[in-house]
Short mmCIF file of all heavy atoms in Angstrom, two decimals:
data_model
loop_
_atom_site.label_atom_id
_atom_site.label_comp_id
_atom_site.label_asym_id
_atom_site.label_seq_id
_atom_site.Cartn_x
_atom_site.Cartn_y
_atom_site.Cartn_z
N GLY A 1214 3.74 27.72 -17.15
CA GLY A 1214 2.73 28.91 -16.88
C GLY A 1214 3.36 30.26 -17.04
O GLY A 1214 2.77 31.25 -17.25
N HIS A 1215 4.67 30.26 -16.77
CA HIS A 1215 5.42 31.55 -16.70
C HIS A 1215 6.47 31.59 -17.78
O HIS A 1215 7.33 32.47 -17.67
CB HIS A 1215 5.92 31.79 -15.20
CG HIS A 1215 4.80 31.79 -14.27
ND1 HIS A 1215 4.09 32.96 -14.06
CD2 HIS A 1215 4.20 30.87 -13.66
CE1 HIS A 1215 3.12 32.81 -13.19
NE2 HIS A 1215 3.11 31.39 -12.94
N CYS A 1232 2.89 40.01 -14.95
CA CYS A 1232 2.51 38.88 -14.04
C CYS A 1232 3.07 39.19 -12.64
O CYS A 1232 4.12 39.77 -12.55
CB CYS A 1232 3.07 37.65 -14.64
SG CYS A 1232 2.69 36.16 -13.75
N TYR A 1233 2.42 38.58 -11.63
CA TYR A 1233 2.89 38.74 -10.33
C TYR A 1233 4.34 38.12 -10.16
O TYR A 1233 5.08 38.44 -9.20
CB TYR A 1233 1.91 37.96 -9.31
CG TYR A 1233 2.06 36.35 -9.43
CD1 TYR A 1233 2.92 35.62 -8.78
CD2 TYR A 1233 1.07 35.77 -10.31
CE1 TYR A 1233 2.89 34.30 -8.88
CE2 TYR A 1233 1.05 34.44 -10.40
CZ TYR A 1233 1.97 33.63 -9.67
OH TYR A 1233 2.02 32.29 -9.94
N CYS A 1234 4.72 37.18 -11.14
CA CYS A 1234 6.09 36.60 -11.01
C CYS A 1234 7.19 37.59 -11.46
O CYS A 1234 8.42 37.30 -11.21
CB CYS A 1234 6.13 35.41 -11.86
SG CYS A 1234 6.33 35.58 -13.62
N GLY A 1235 6.83 38.70 -12.08
CA GLY A 1235 7.79 39.73 -12.49
C GLY A 1235 7.97 39.73 -13.92
O GLY A 1235 8.52 40.76 -14.47
N SER A 1236 7.50 38.78 -14.66
CA SER A 1236 7.55 38.67 -16.13
C SER A 1236 6.41 39.38 -16.82
O SER A 1236 5.44 39.64 -16.08
CB SER A 1236 7.79 37.20 -16.56
OG SER A 1236 8.91 36.67 -16.10
N CYS A 1239 2.99 36.39 -19.47
CA CYS A 1239 3.09 34.96 -19.06
C CYS A 1239 1.91 34.13 -19.63
O CYS A 1239 0.84 34.65 -19.73
CB CYS A 1239 3.13 34.74 -17.61
SG CYS A 1239 4.67 35.31 -16.80
N GLU A 1241 0.16 31.97 -18.35
CA GLU A 1241 -0.92 31.91 -17.31
C GLU A 1241 -1.85 33.08 -17.49
O GLU A 1241 -3.03 32.85 -17.17
CB GLU A 1241 -0.28 31.90 -15.92
CG GLU A 1241 -1.25 31.98 -14.81
CD GLU A 1241 -0.65 31.69 -13.37
OE1 GLU A 1241 -0.10 30.54 -13.19
OE2 GLU A 1241 -0.55 32.64 -12.61
ZN1 ZN B 2877 4.41 34.93 -14.63
#
Side-chain angles (χ1 to χ4, degrees):
H1215 298 276
C1232 180
Y1233 69 87
C1234 76
S1236 298
C1239 286
E1241 179 169 287

